[in-house]
């Protein structure tokens, strides 16, 4: 695509137009995926709880996501009279923009990536951690005690679980010797298929990273920020219509970010789990990346359908007293392991 537009419009303008078109295509794909992610979530949970799920709007309920979107868009956006108008609208925007921006460095295959940065993990951590400001702004600008309390709970939870997630990522950087996602996937290549991937030697980090990711996105069973028996809807209690839809959209995109990172860091990215001698099924392809992301997202839905909600003190204790000490100890173990003759990564 770059060469095509550069041939028509010149080097600089052509490259700019090509990049803008790629960004637009990526955003459309993400929004459509979020729409049908809500559909499949309701179907999966309905199946696990022996219910029907969406089945009225369209064949098999397939148009239900669009009905939900139009319902949200047509609702009136209500703003509390004492709310700070500018910050009230800025909150959901600040939450959504980093969720979209991190996809610029996430590769779906060796060549299917917008920007292959050498410091991609650093870029991603910096952007993803800024999303918490939108949560705080939304809760504070609403001028509601309940929203503010929900924002404090959500932001404390997000910050607490960023630490074990970061330690888990550092262990992957340690074994890969690089902060490039493509290099991290290459280090997982081997003759043993899925047993060559990072999930096995870094199993404690893999489990902690994913559970922390669920808590980081405020999803069940860590969704206390939206405890309906206590806070109604947490930090976005006062939001309605399109503004609420923006918070909703950013939550689902963040879920997809966690699933993509789990796939790249621990599950071999686009690498096939089968030997190359098995023909097309053994070839590395972006379809493997999408399948692994779908599997991780399915676990998200499984958690929501079956696990009871944690109490807030239990969540804080799990993050600070269990996950952080384990990740610190395992980080030292991995560093020592790499210096021994039994290292798997030299």
């Amino acid at each position: 695509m770059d060469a095509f537009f550069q041939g028509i419009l010149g080097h600089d303008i052509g490259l700019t137009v090509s990049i803008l078109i790629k960004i637009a295509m990526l955003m459309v794909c993400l929004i459509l995926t979020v729409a049908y992610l809500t559909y499949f979530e309701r179907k999966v949970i309905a199946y696990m709880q022996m219910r029907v799920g969406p089945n009225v709007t369209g064949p098999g309920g397939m148009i239900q996501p669009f009905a939900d979107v139009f319902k949200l868009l047509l609702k009136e956006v209500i703003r509390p009279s004492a709310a700070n108008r500018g910050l009230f609208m800025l909150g959901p925007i600040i939450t959504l923009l980093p969720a979209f921006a991190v996809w610029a460095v996430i590769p779906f295959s060796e060549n299917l990536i917008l920007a292959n940065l050498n410091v991609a993990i650093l870029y991603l951590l910096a952007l993803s951690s800024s999303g918490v400001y939108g949560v705080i702004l939304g809760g504070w600008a609403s001028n509601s005690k309940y929203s503010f309390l929900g924002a404090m709970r959500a932001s404390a939870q997000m910050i607490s679980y960023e630490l074990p997630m970061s330690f888990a990522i550092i262990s992957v950087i340690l074994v890969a010797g690089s902060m490039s996602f493509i290099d991290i996937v290459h280090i997982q290549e081997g003759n043993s298929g899925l047993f060559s991937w990072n999930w096995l030697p870094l199993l404690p980090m893999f489990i902690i990273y994913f559970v922390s990711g669920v808590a980081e996105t405020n999803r069940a069973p860590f969704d206390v920020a939206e405890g309906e028996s206590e806070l109604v809807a947490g930090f976005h209690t006062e939001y309605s219509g399109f503004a609420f839809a923006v918070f909703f959209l950013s939550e689902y995109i963040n879920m997809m970010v966690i699933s993509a990172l789990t796939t790249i860091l621990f599950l071999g990215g686009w690498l096939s789990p089968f030997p190359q001698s098995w023909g097309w099924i053994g070839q590395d392809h972006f379809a493997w990346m999408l399948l692994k992301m779908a599997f991780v997202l399915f676990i998200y839905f499984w958690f929501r359908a079956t696990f009871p909600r944690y109490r807030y003190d239990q969540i804080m204790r799990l993050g600070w007293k269990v996950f952080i000490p384990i990740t610190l100890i395992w980080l030292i173990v991995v560093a020592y392991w790499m210096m021994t003759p039994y290292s798997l990564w030299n």
Side-chain angles (χ1 to χ4, degrees):
M1 183 182 289
D2 292 348
F4 174 75
F5 283 103
Q6 285 175 335
I8 298 175
L9 303 171
H11 182 271
D12 294 337
I13 298 177
L15 185 61
T16 304
V17 171
S18 174
I19 291 173
L20 289 176
I21 290 175
K22 288 179 184 175
I23 292 172
M25 290 170 62
L26 179 62
M27 290 183 67
V28 169
C29 289
L30 287 174
I31 292 171
L32 287 177
T33 305
V34 167
Y36 276 96
L37 201 58
T38 61
Y39 172 80
F40 286 111
E41 179 181 21
R42 293 164 71 178
K43 279 290 187 183
V44 168
I45 293 175
Y47 174 76
M48 289 184 176
Q49 297 177 346
M50 300 179 71
R51 294 185 287 111
V52 177
N55 67 339
V56 174
T57 313
M62 291 289 287
I63 308 179
Q64 185 64 46
F66 292 100
D68 294 336
V69 169
F70 285 121
K71 181 183 71 176
L72 280 173
L73 293 180
L74 294 176
K75 276 187 174 180
E76 180 184 4
V77 177
I78 299 171
R79 178 177 57 85
S81 57
N84 186 311
R85 184 183 181 86
L87 295 181
F88 186 77
M89 299 310 296
L90 191 60
I93 295 172
I94 291 180
T95 307
L96 182 63
L97 288 182
F100 273 121
V102 297
W103 287 93
V105 297
I106 294 179
F108 291 90
S109 71
E110 183 83 27
N111 301 312
L112 200 56
I113 179 174
L114 276 179
N116 181 19
L117 298 182
N118 291 331
V119 289
I121 291 182
L122 209 58
Y123 167 87
L124 189 139
L125 287 175
L127 272 181
S128 60
S129 60
S130 63
V132 70
Y133 294 111
V135 172
I136 296 173
L137 271 183
W140 184 80
S142 299
N143 196 28
S144 162
K145 292 183 177 66
Y146 298 105
S147 297
F148 187 64
L149 181 59
M152 290 298 100
R153 290 174 64 159
S155 55
Q157 180 178 329
M158 292 167 75
I159 293 169
S160 300
Y161 280 88
E162 272 185 6
L163 290 172
M165 285 181 71
S166 301
F167 289 137
I169 291 175
I170 289 172
S171 70
V172 176
I173 295 173
L174 202 62
V175 300
S178 172
M179 286 194 284
S180 164
F181 286 129
I182 291 181
D183 292 343
I184 289 171
V185 172
H186 283 316
I187 198 71
Q188 299 177 72
E189 291 175 336
N191 298 324
S192 305
L194 58 92
F195 297 107
S196 303
W197 302 344
N198 283 336
W199 71 271
L200 189 56
L202 302 177
L203 186 60
M205 294 297 200
F206 168 56
I207 295 172
I208 289 176
Y209 178 83
F210 180 65
V211 175
S212 299
V214 176
E216 169 84 2
T217 48
N218 287 326
R219 294 283 302 182
F222 305 107
D223 57 339
V224 292
E226 300 178 21
E228 61 267 21
S229 60
E230 307 154 44
L231 297 164
V232 182
F235 57 92
H236 46 60
T237 301
E238 305 295 342
Y239 285 89
S240 63
F242 181 74
F244 175 79
V246 172
F247 276 123
F248 190 76
L249 182 63
S250 62
E251 177 180 316
Y252 276 79
I253 291 180
N254 283 329
M255 281 171 56
M256 292 165 59
V257 170
I258 294 295
S259 65
L261 290 181
T262 306
T263 301
I264 291 170
L265 298 176
F266 297 99
L267 299 179
W270 53 88
L271 301 180
S272 169
F274 303 109
Q276 290 189 350
S277 57
W278 287 27
W280 63 270
I281 200 172
Q283 301 301 310
D284 302 333
H285 198 268
F286 77 92
W288 285 117
M289 174 85 178
L290 298 180
L291 280 174
K292 293 171 189 175
M293 287 175 60
F295 172 72
V296 175
L297 288 168
F298 173 79
I299 298 177
Y300 261 102
F301 304 155
W302 169 40
F303 282 176
R304 183 178 176 188
T306 55
F307 281 74
R309 179 181 290 127
Y310 269 44
R311 286 200 321 265
Y312 193 69
D313 61 305
Q314 291 174 327
I315 293 176
M316 289 292 106
R317 185 166 61 245
L318 180 69
W320 287 96
K321 294 187 176 180
V322 179
F323 281 2
I324 291 178
I326 291 177
T327 50
L328 282 172
I329 292 171
W330 198 253
L331 198 57
I332 297 170
V333 170
V334 171
Y336 180 74
W337 187 3
M338 292 185 67
M339 296 172 64
T340 67
Y342 304 105
S343 172
L344 301 175
W345 302 281
N346 292 331

